[in-house]
């Protein structure tokens, strides 16, 4: 089951991202790094959750693979990873996570599902708009992978809280769309 986003990324973002692609690439590397770290963090926080540890171990491996590929692209272009500039979008979504353990697990899974879905959307836009055919292929492949991750998080969320998953997802999706509309447009993945 795919995660449905409630607003589209603006054309302005696409223009900026294509024009300042080097900046997007650096940010993209940091996003893959954080995705791998988040997967391991979920595994650490909920070690007793059936099936979660293995799913997160596999995901961390895949995201680290993406990171490795993006780092290779950076190197090829003579770019350096540099310091992580932070991600106000992901931070704002993560601030919505409730504290009690069950709610916390559900919210973390749903926030991850939304971030993956937004990443999929934007990587697909890059795949459609970049000029270099190798980069287009690369982003099309990565977008497909992020789509799978969004579905995985949603599936895990449904298993965790079959009763409340859909209504909580609807709430968080509204917040996500509001963030996308209100945060400044920058040449970054989010
Ligand atoms: Fe990834
Ligand atoms: Fe991902």
């Amino acid at each position: 089951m795919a995660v449905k986003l409630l607003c589209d990324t603006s054309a302005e973002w696409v223009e900026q991202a294509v024009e300042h692609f080097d900046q997007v690439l650096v940010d993209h590397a940091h996003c893959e790094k954080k995705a791998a770290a988040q997967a391991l963090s979920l595994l650490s926080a909920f070690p007793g959750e059936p099936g979660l540890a293995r799913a997160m171990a596999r995901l961390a491996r895949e995201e680290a693979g993406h990171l490795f590929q993006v780092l290779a692209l950076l190197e090829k272009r003579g770019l350096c990873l540099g310091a992580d500039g932070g991600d106000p979008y992901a931070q704002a979504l993560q601030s919505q996570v409730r504290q009690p353990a069950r709610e916390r697990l559900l919210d973390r899974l749903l926030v991850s599902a939304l971030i993956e879905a937004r990443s999929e959307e934007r990587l697909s836009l890059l795949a459609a708009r970049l000029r270099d055919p190798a980069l287009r292929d690369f982003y099309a492949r990565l977008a497909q992978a992020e789509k799978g991750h969004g579905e995985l998080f949603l599936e895990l969320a449904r298993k965790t809280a079959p009763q409340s998953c859909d209504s909580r997802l609807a709430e968080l999706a509204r917040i996500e769309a509001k963030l996308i509309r209100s945060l400044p447009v920058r040449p970054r993945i989010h």
Side-chain angles (χ1 to χ4, degrees), residues 9 12 17 25 27 31 65 72 79 120-121 157 170 182 188:
T9 282
E12 192 193 348
L25 200 58
D27 181 59
C31 287
L79 298 166
E120 179 215 341
E121 185 218 21
S182 63
R188 303 172 45 114

Side-chain angles (χ1 to χ4, degrees), residues 63 116 146 149:
E63 302 290 23
E116 294 283 0
E146 307 309 351
H149 301 165

Side-chain angles (χ1 to χ4, degrees), residues 28 31-33 35-36 59 62-67 116 119 123 142 145-146 149:
H28 184 184
C31 287
E32 299 291 0
K33 172 199 71 185
L59 181 62
E62 207 175 311
E63 302 290 23
H66 294 169
L67 170 62
E116 294 283 0
S119 303
L123 299 190
L142 251 59
E146 307 309 351
H149 301 165

